[in-house]
Amino acid sequence: MTGAIRHGAAGRLWRTTVITLPYAWLLLFFLVPFAIVFKISFADPIVAQPPFTPFFDWAESSPRRLLATFDNYLFLLEDKLYWVSYLRSIRIAFISTLLCLLLGYPMAYGIARARPPWRSLLLMLVILPFWTSFLLRVYAWIVMLGKHGVVNNALLSVGFIDGPLQMLYTDAAVYLGIVYTYIPFMILPLYASLEKLDQNLHDAAMDLGATPWKVFTDITLPLSMPGVIAGSLLVFIPALGEFVIPSLLGGIDSLMIGRTLYDEFFVNRDWPLASAVATVLLFILILPIMLFQRYQQGEES
Amino acid sequence: MNVESKQHTNENSAAWTGAPWKDPSQSPFIEIQSLHKRFGDFTAVDNISLDIYRGELFAILGGSGCGKSTLLRMLAGLEAPSAGRILIDGVDVTELPPYDRPVNMMFQSYAVFPHMTVEKNIAYGLRKSRVAPAEIESRVREMLELVQLTNLEQRKPNQLSGGQLQRVALARALIKRPKVLLLDEPLAALDKKLREQTQFELMNLQDQLGTTFVVVTHDQEEAMTLATRIAVMDEGRFIQIGTPSEVYEYPRNFFVADFFGNINIFDATVISSEPGFIAVELGASGTRIRIQHGGVIDAGAAVMIGVRPEKLLISKDKPTDDRYTVTRGVVEDLAYYGNRSIYRVRSQEGRIIQVSAQNSQRSVELAMEWDDEVYLSWDSSSSVVLQK
């Protein structure tokens, strides 16, 4: 804002800095590392330091010989393990996003319609979990869901169940962990779009004959779509690559791509294959982001 | 809007007889019976009863926070009354939700749905009542023509001007042919020129459709030009209900008098009271006048005599006609508007008296100048007794 008011060289410098800084950040900490990962994905694994073959053959031969290989990508296609991991990740991320949306929408709506003093308190409560370490909170679920955990003990003592339920190391625990962790990222953008919704639009629709449910589907939901999409992306993207939650709460068979990637990198020390896995993951993620951008452009025109 | 031809007038407006509230054979169309609305400790609407007749253009006038919008929202069903009943066309609608009431509202901010085209906005009410698509289509077309928005039906609201949005909101509220149209500050968001034009369009439209309009406004000029009757509201109650000329010429108290433009106040003492008239003595000049007045006020009581600026005559010479009441003063300020001039005169009592004089004679010279000693006079029938 101030940049627009300032004149002359100082103003231009300020404006350039403000625009350049985030781009420089992205270039340095996203694009450059990604280029490195992308490059490694075309190498062969070797037992050496670093554990992959160079991009070019610097040895005697001149002109330089390109050593790039598509083997890693072909291997991803051939081995069923990767397909299964990707598809499982997409499914888990998708269902988790849906659950976050179903749970988060009424919460965001309630906060947006609450009286102002309540509103800030409720928002605080949504953000509050971030004040403890993410890892600690996931570990807490192990204590809660374990065979002799809080939930099982409570249910046993009330007499609802005869023996402890297997809750930990199941898909349900993974969903629970992801929904619990990422729901604030759904609620906050939803709240932002619901809060600025003009109450008069709601009243006008009702005045014109719409029942409360119709008001929701005709007015509230379409007008909060930007929040729905932003929130869904904010949940879907990290959930897709989630590694900690499936490792700690999921079963041995609950393969998600994040865990496969971890195993390739740290257990098998196959950096090129791990890089190929990461590259494919990124391209899977670009798709929903591009769809979102197209939606936004459609809204503006 | 296409309103020059009044042949379009439908049978509804045939019931309009000019002043149905004076006709005992007429039954009210909207009956508001001892309506209350409390928000916690705050009373927004305090025991209001009101009858509105079919075809009226009724204005509720008051400052912000006087409860007028709450009253309108209760008529629409958007707010539930704490006590009291509302009947429309003989049917008790107090418990009906907004979507079941034969009433539509034009919102102050217009509340046009931003994600729908003009056409979809206007058709919305009919869609919700499951009217056949062919009929929706023809009625939307009819409405677009009525509010002159043909060719704009595919536009989105953000491509429309304020005046066009107002028309969309109006068309959308009228398309269901409501028994009552509620308008919340219908002209407040328009600029001055557009307001004047729209004001007349609204009146003509109402005349053409015969729908009963209830308008809420804080603008006395808007209320005066639009309405058949005005209810002046303050602190949740009606102070006075009457035709525009009644509330302007015979304000009940200072609040109403002051709300409708300027009024000059003279202190006076009651000398005697007789049916229909009271005699008072003006404080400073000692002039005695008889003023028409409905009530009885004890002799010796102090009252305020109000006279509108345009009812005052200003002159350098003392008017000879003894019909006039006269006081004196000095011109302190004057403003020339071309068609008229406004004089601010300091009276003998030390009050500033405002005089509005038509410049009916063409003259470059001003008849009165600063610091001139002048006589202020008025016909005793032009003044009104205001209770303190």
Side-chain angles (χ1 to χ4, degrees):
Chain A
M1 278 288 155
T2 44
I5 305 162
R6 290 187 194 185
H7 298 288
R12 271 196 299 279
L13 184 69
W14 170 250
R15 220 171 307 164
T16 317
T17 315
V18 164
I19 296 168
T20 313
L21 225 64
Y23 280 102
W25 178 276
L26 281 175
L27 185 79
L28 208 62
F29 296 110
F30 175 73
L31 212 59
V32 171
F34 177 70
I36 295 171
V37 168
F38 193 61
K39 193 205 87 173
I40 296 173
S41 74
F42 293 104
D44 267 327
I46 48 168
V47 183
Q49 194 62 259
F52 53 86
T53 53
F55 206 53
F56 297 112
D57 183 7
W58 295 102
E60 62 268 22
S61 63
S62 62
R64 293 186 305 241
R65 197 160 56 85
L66 196 63
L67 285 182
T69 163
F70 282 99
D71 285 357
N72 298 310
Y73 290 100
L74 290 174
F75 187 67
L76 287 186
L77 284 174
E78 282 161 16
D79 196 327
K80 241 184 77 185
L81 171 84
Y82 302 101
W83 278 103
V84 170
S85 301
Y86 278 122
L87 289 177
R88 269 189 73 88
S89 292
I90 292 172
R91 200 185 78 204
I92 289 178
F94 181 78
I95 294 175
S96 305
T97 306
L98 212 63
L99 289 173
C100 278
L101 186 62
L102 289 177
L103 272 171
Y105 202 103
M107 286 168 86
Y109 192 83
I111 298 171
R113 287 281 160 269
R115 276 187 287 154
W118 279 99
R119 225 182 277 174
S120 38
L121 180 76
L122 292 169
L123 275 179
M124 255 280 287
L125 290 175
V126 170
I127 305 166
L128 202 62
F130 290 125
W131 292 18
T132 28
S133 151
F134 160 64
L135 215 54
L136 268 178
R137 283 183 284 132
V138 178
Y139 272 119
W141 279 111
I142 298 179
V143 179
M144 298 281 285
L145 300 176
K147 204 158 201 166
H148 305 289
V150 178
V151 178
N152 265 327
N153 283 347
L155 289 175
L156 279 169
S157 68
V158 177
F160 274 150
I161 49 172
D162 299 326
L165 293 172
Q166 177 64 45
M167 287 182 289
L168 203 55
Y169 311 126
T170 61
D171 277 2
V174 175
Y175 286 127
L176 182 72
I178 292 178
V179 170
Y180 162 77
T181 306
Y182 291 111
I183 203 165
F185 296 108
M186 180 63 87
I187 293 177
L188 295 178
L190 275 176
Y191 166 78
S193 63
L194 285 170
E195 192 260 343
K196 64 178 183 208
L197 212 71
D198 184 359
Q199 180 67 29
N200 282 323
L201 297 177
H202 175 280
D203 288 350
M206 202 172 259
D207 180 68
L208 290 166
T211 55
W213 174 249
K214 275 278 154 212
V215 175
F216 177 74
T217 56
D218 289 350
I219 310 297
T220 313
L221 190 60
L223 288 176
S224 62
M225 254 353 239
V228 170
I229 289 174
S232 299
L233 282 178
L234 283 178
V235 173
F236 184 80
I237 291 169
L240 190 65
E242 183 52 55
F243 161 70
V244 174
I245 295 168
S247 311
L248 292 180
L249 303 180
I252 310 161
D253 59 331
S254 72
L255 274 176
M256 279 183 78
I257 199 65
R259 191 141 146 226
T260 309
L261 208 155
Y262 177 92
D263 288 346
E264 277 324 324
F265 194 84
F266 288 101
V267 182
N268 297 346
R269 274 185 72 80
D270 191 341
W271 287 22
L273 190 60
S275 299
V277 170
T279 305
V280 171
L281 182 62
L282 189 87
F283 280 106
I284 294 175
L285 287 176
I286 282 174
L287 196 75
I289 295 171
M290 273 175 33
L291 284 176
F292 176 58
Q293 296 235 304
R294 273 194 55 182
Y295 171 83
Q296 269 193 324
Q297 276 167 0
E299 279 297 284
E300 277 158 26
S301 67
Chain B
M1 294 171 215
N2 275 330
V3 276
E4 293 93 303
S5 50
K6 287 197 181 168
Q7 294 94 303
H8 289 305
T9 309
N10 63 19
E11 62 269 45
N12 258 342
S13 65
W16 181 247
T17 54
W21 53 90
K22 284 184 180 157
D23 182 353
S25 71
Q26 292 277 339
S27 57
F29 194 59
I30 305 173
E31 294 165 73
I32 299 172
Q33 299 169 349
S34 10
L35 208 62
H36 286 80
K37 179 65 187 182
R38 285 177 287 270
F39 297 103
D41 293 337
F42 176 70
T43 304
V45 170
D46 190 4
N47 195 20
I48 273 185
S49 294
L50 173 68
D51 288 339
I52 297 172
Y53 292 82
R54 188 191 288 273
E56 264 200 272
L57 205 165
F58 195 93
I60 298 164
L61 177 69
S64 61
C66 74
K68 60 187 192 298
S69 291
T70 309
L71 180 60
L72 199 73
R73 289 175 63 82
M74 284 196 281
L75 284 171
L78 296 167
E79 211 81 67
S82 309
R85 311 220 65 81
I86 298 168
L87 280 77
I88 293 171
D89 202 6
V91 179
D92 188 336
V93 299
T94 319
E95 308 293 331
L96 285 184
Y99 44 87
D100 285 336
R101 291 196 186 198
V103 164
N104 284 123
M105 179 155 161
M106 195 182 112
F107 289 75
Q108 181 177 4
S109 55
Y110 307 141
V112 173
F113 306 133
H115 57 306
M116 297 183 194
T117 58
V118 168
E119 184 187 19
K120 291 232 168 74
N121 262 285
I122 295 175
Y124 190 79
L126 291 182
R127 289 238 167 89
K128 293 306 114 182
S129 342
R130 296 171 194 282
V131 174
E135 197 192 336
I136 294 182
E137 167 120 40
S138 75
R139 270 165 78 175
V140 167
R141 209 129 297 285
E142 198 180 297
M143 270 298 149
L144 284 167
E145 239 163 75
L146 186 74
V147 298
Q148 294 179 331
L149 284 174
T150 328
N151 301 329
L152 295 181
E153 69 262 36
Q154 291 311 324
R155 294 259 185 108
K156 282 279 190 78
N158 61 5
Q159 298 166 301
L160 299 179
S161 70
Q164 288 166 335
L165 282 174
Q166 196 254 8
R167 286 152 193 265
V168 175
L170 188 64
R172 188 180 67 175
L174 281 171
I175 199 162
K176 288 182 85 180
R177 297 176 186 151
K179 287 183 173 171
V180 180
L181 180 71
L182 307 172
L183 301 105
D184 191 359
E185 305 271 2
L187 308 176
L190 304 178
D191 61 56
K192 194 170 185 285
K193 196 139 196 179
L194 204 55
R195 277 170 85 110
E196 281 172 10
Q197 185 193 340
T198 314
Q199 209 157 286
F200 286 108
E201 285 176 353
L202 264 183
M203 285 163 73
N204 286 327
L205 192 72
Q206 197 264 345
D207 200 35
Q208 194 177 336
L209 299 171
T211 311
T212 307
F213 281 26
V214 179
V215 179
V216 148
T217 177
H218 69 278
D219 182 339
Q220 46 91 16
E221 213 171 288
E222 191 173 310
M224 298 259 279
T225 47
L226 283 176
T228 50
R229 282 194 300 159
I230 299 173
V232 185
M233 200 170 171
D234 187 37
E235 292 181 339
R237 293 163 192 238
F238 288 151
I239 308 288
Q240 188 171 0
I241 301 171
T243 63
S245 52
E246 277 168 3
V247 288
Y248 184 78
E249 301 291 357
Y250 300 99
R252 182 168 296 166
N253 62 14
F254 181 71
F255 178 84
V256 177
D258 194 48
F259 212 109
F260 290 92
N262 280 306
I263 191 153
N264 295 303
I265 301 297
F266 297 91
D267 290 315
T269 315
V270 178
I271 303 162
S272 65
S273 191
E274 51 189 289
F277 287 91
I278 59 168
V280 298
E281 188 178 278
L282 288 186
S285 57
T287 320
R288 296 189 170 197
I289 45 173
R290 275 175 90 239
I291 302 175
Q292 220 174 349
H293 184 66
V296 174
I297 305 176
D298 291 336
V303 289
M304 293 191 287
I305 304 300
V307 191
R308 296 279 181 201
E310 73 278 8
K311 303 279 195 300
L312 283 167
L313 263 174
I314 184 165
S315 57
K316 278 184 175 166
D317 306 314
K318 185 171 182 172
T320 46
D321 196 328
D322 40 282
R323 285 186 301 124
Y324 288 120
T325 313
V326 182
T327 187
R328 295 179 62 187
V330 176
V331 176
E332 206 157 83
D333 218 340
L334 69 86
Y336 177 73
Y337 287 92
N339 61 340
R340 67 199 169 108
S341 294
I342 302 278
Y343 299 89
R344 287 164 67 80
V345 177
R346 169 108 27 214
S347 75
Q348 288 168 318
E349 296 159 296
R351 276 185 193 270
I352 288 288
I353 306 293
Q354 196 162 320
V355 184
S356 170
Q358 286 291 327
N359 295 323
S360 46
Q361 303 281 317
R362 183 151 90 172
S363 164
V364 185
E365 303 284 317
L366 290 167
M368 254 75 61
E369 292 278 7
W370 282 266
D371 296 330
D372 275 356
E373 281 230 13
V374 291
Y375 289 92
L376 297 176
S377 54
W378 68 92
D379 196 325
S380 68
S381 67
S382 300
S383 50
V384 59
V385 180
L386 302 171
Q387 271 146 349
K388 286 191 180 172

